[in-house]
Amino acid sequence: MTESVELPPAPEQARDVFGDRYADAVRYAELLAEAGVQRGLIGPREVPRLWERHLLNCAVLSEVVPEGVTVCDVGSGAGLPGIPLALVRPDLKITLLEPLLRRTNFLTEVVELLGLDHVTVVRGRAEEVLGTLQPVHVVTARAVAPLDRLAAWGIPLLRPYGEMLALKGDTAEEELKSAASALSKLGAAETSVLHVGEGVVDPLSTLVRVEVGESPGGVRFAAKRAKAARTGRARRRR
């Protein structure tokens, strides 16, 4: 039997961050605390810190996402950071990419309930949708995998000169150094560690930003994307 833990009231910062979607943010928090726990998407111990550690921590990612771009949230899980980002930024077109059926079912229910018309849920792994999912301007991720592995999944989904934004913790600098060689092979042009959420979250949210050049994923992935695109066109002609 799942342990029941009460969701604390939303902090004042949530009203400022979510604005006219504040009520939807509250409903999403309630869904995470109820169905999310019941379905094993988050642990019951996370419920008391849902706002600070999860919703607000993810929503402040919006500070560094350009206006009007396409976003793919890789390994979206229970919708973090994709759904908080969608609530704050209706100008974005967001794809929540998640391989597990029970998670995509939850995500679809949340998207429909909250009326997030600019959000699409796709079931699959990043390497499976390469060439079928339109390349995006920004890839986001949170607590999915070590940076080198995450980059191998996320960077090939980018458009030329796009960027990956990975929410990381205290290990961000260390992970970035360890992944330097892998990132270079994947076409990374610039990397940096950013801190966002001043006045909203404490400690600040830490992001690793990886900006790519004209060949996201490097030569090998460019060839793979082109082959997948040709296959997709051939199937559509049948």
Side-chain angles (χ1 to χ4, degrees):
M1 185 174 178
T2 304
E3 179 185 352
S4 178
V5 182
E6 187 175 352
L7 176 69
E12 280 303 311
Q13 297 95 316
R15 292 185 181 274
D16 295 331
V17 171
F18 291 103
D20 59 2
R21 299 306 296 262
Y22 169 74
D24 291 324
V26 171
R27 185 65 186 122
Y28 176 50
E30 291 170 347
L31 288 166
L32 286 174
E34 296 162 6
V37 172
Q38 292 165 6
R39 300 186 195 183
L41 304 183
I42 67 165
R45 292 183 180 179
E46 295 302 310
V47 174
R49 51 187 184 178
L50 265 178
W51 283 105
E52 290 82 0
R53 185 181 174 90
H54 299 285
L55 273 75
L56 290 173
N57 180 271
C58 291
V60 296
L61 179 65
S62 66
E63 294 178 15
V64 292
V65 177
E67 288 188 18
V69 299
T70 52
V71 178
C72 182
D73 188 31
V74 173
S76 196
L80 301 164
I83 289 178
L85 182 61
L87 288 170
V88 174
R89 295 287 300 278
D91 59 299
L92 306 175
K93 290 191 179 298
I94 299 176
T95 298
L96 306 179
L97 182 62
E98 169 55 49
L100 295 184
L101 180 60
R102 63 188 172 89
R103 292 177 179 171
T104 54
N105 285 343
F106 175 79
L107 292 172
T108 300
E109 291 167 15
V110 171
V111 166
E112 292 176 354
L113 181 65
L114 301 184
L116 298 173
D117 298 333
H118 58 305
V119 177
T120 302
V121 179
V122 173
R123 185 184 176 199
R125 300 181 185 279
E127 58 268 34
E128 296 170 347
V129 302
L130 185 64
T132 58
L133 188 71
Q134 284 293 318
V136 297
H137 298 91
V138 178
V139 163
T140 60
R142 178 179 187 256
V144 174
L147 187 60
D148 55 349
R149 202 185 322 158
L150 173 61
W153 297 335
I155 287 179
L157 300 177
L158 290 170
R159 294 170 48 139
Y161 306 104
E163 60 183 321
M164 183 177 75
L165 297 170
L167 276 159
K168 291 287 185 178
D170 297 337
T171 62
E173 294 277 5
E174 183 181 331
E175 281 197 57
L176 191 51
K177 288 178 183 177
S178 299
S181 176
L183 293 174
S184 179
K185 291 176 182 177
L186 287 165
E190 297 286 342
T191 62
S192 54
V193 174
L194 309 177
H195 301 283
V196 295
E198 183 72 41
V200 178
V201 290
D202 185 16
L204 300 179
S205 297
T206 302
L207 305 174
V208 171
R209 171 188 266 163
V210 179
E211 300 169 84
V212 300
E214 62 182 15
S215 298
V219 176
R220 182 165 64 92
F221 282 101
K224 188 174 181 179
R225 267 198 305 273
K227 181 180 178 181
R230 288 194 299 270
T231 302
R233 287 194 295 270
R235 287 173 179 169
R236 287 193 291 273
R237 286 196 294 266
R238 290 174 187 171

